Amino acid sequence: QVQLVESGGGLVQAGGSLRLSCTISGGTLNPIYMAWFRAAPGKEREFVAAIKWNDGITNYEDSVKGRFTMSQDNAKNMVHLQMNSLKSEDTAAYFCAANVAPGTGFDYWGQGTQVTVSS
């Protein structure tokens, strides 16, 4: 069974950096898009970043542009989210997600990894 497994979360001071990773395990997925979402306490889940698997084109939510960078490692079936200049409002559970068919949304989700930014 294909699973997405996130890692790399933790506690960091404001202005610091973290690198999240998401591994596709348990089989072949062939995603169209991979993405990161986040959910802060009391708030709805929101889109953070996405990458198109075939060509590496990325897209970011406005508040993270210039601070976060999403990348892929096709050989290792992984995606990463490099987060720099972290702010307290970046505190959330971060989830990796995969879209595998056009128009179906994100069909696979990881269990999430917690990022806490102290001010």
Side-chain angles (χ1 to χ4, degrees), residues 18-91:
L18 281 175
R19 187 185 191 224
L20 305 183
S21 296
C22 173
T23 303
I24 304 170
S25 65
T28 301
L29 200 56
N30 294 322
I32 298 174
Y33 291 95
M34 295 291 295
W36 288 95
F37 290 79
R38 65 186 179 187
K43 295 186 178 180
E44 293 187 356
R45 184 175 61 196
E46 66 174 358
F47 167 80
V48 176
I51 192 165
K52 193 173 182 184
W53 196 253
N54 284 348
D55 56 21
I57 293 176
T58 53
N59 186 34
Y60 299 94
E61 192 270 330
D62 285 347
S63 70
V64 307
K65 285 180 180 177
R67 301 189 298 123
F68 291 11
T69 303
M70 186 172 182
S71 61
Q72 65 188 110
D73 185 338
N74 290 31
K76 295 183 179 180
N77 276 340
M78 296 180 72
V79 292
H80 306 284
L81 185 67
Q82 178 66 42
M83 305 186 295
N84 299 329
S85 302
L86 283 161
K87 306 175 181 180
S88 56
E89 50 263 43
D90 295 318
T91 295

